[in-house]
Amino acid sequence: GKPVKSKPGATRVLVSEISQRKGFHNRLFIVPQIETKKKKKSLATMAAKPIASPIPVALYPTLSVFTLAIGLVITAIFFIYEATSSRKNRSLGKELATSAVASVFLGFGSLFLLLASGVYV
């Protein structure tokens, strides 16, 4: 709604569009103003930005397939390395690096799989 000036330091805002969508009736909110160097802004105008995903929702299935595939390939490389190298020839740094990269890809793959299936975590 439009802000209506009532008294110094407060702005009255009639919220109708948002409240009707959530099942509430029209309500009158008194929102304090925040002083800035440039101009006064009310909290109602600052909080009006919707939250949007930085990645388009249509890409979730594709991202889940590719990140899970990469993670599984790196996990297979890790297991092959563990099975074929002797205990004396193993490198702790290589093991940790390989497992960390596989873990990151499998984690993001699982996240995008949940998001693609409608489970918003």
Side-chain angles (χ1 to χ4, degrees):
K2 284 188 170 183
V4 178
K5 192 74 172 170
S6 61
K7 54 183 166 176
T11 303
R12 293 173 21 173
V13 179
L14 181 62
V15 180
S16 59
E17 301 89 16
I18 298 171
S19 62
Q20 285 176 359
R21 277 186 259 153
K22 292 185 178 181
F24 298 112
H25 299 291
N26 289 345
R27 295 185 180 190
L28 189 64
F29 293 102
I30 297 178
V31 181
Q33 289 184 343
I34 296 177
E35 298 278 339
T36 60
K37 292 181 181 179
K38 295 181 182 178
K39 61 180 181 176
K40 290 183 179 181
K41 292 184 180 180
S42 73
L43 289 177
T45 57
M46 290 173 47
K49 297 177 185 175
I51 298 173
S53 174
I55 298 171
V57 177
L59 289 180
Y60 289 165
T62 306
L63 284 172
S64 70
V65 167
F66 283 123
T67 53
L68 284 172
I70 292 169
L72 289 174
V73 167
I74 296 172
T75 303
I77 291 170
F78 175 78
F79 282 125
I80 290 169
Y81 175 76
E82 291 294 318
T84 58
S85 62
S86 66
R87 290 192 179 200
K88 292 182 181 179
N89 293 337
R90 289 184 189 162
S91 169
L92 180 63
K94 185 174 181 180
E95 290 177 4
L96 289 175
T98 307
S99 62
V101 171
S103 176
V104 167
F105 276 104
L106 289 173
F108 277 110
S110 301
L111 172 70
F112 286 120
L113 183 64
L114 287 171
L115 292 175
S117 63
V119 180
Y120 295 103
V121 291

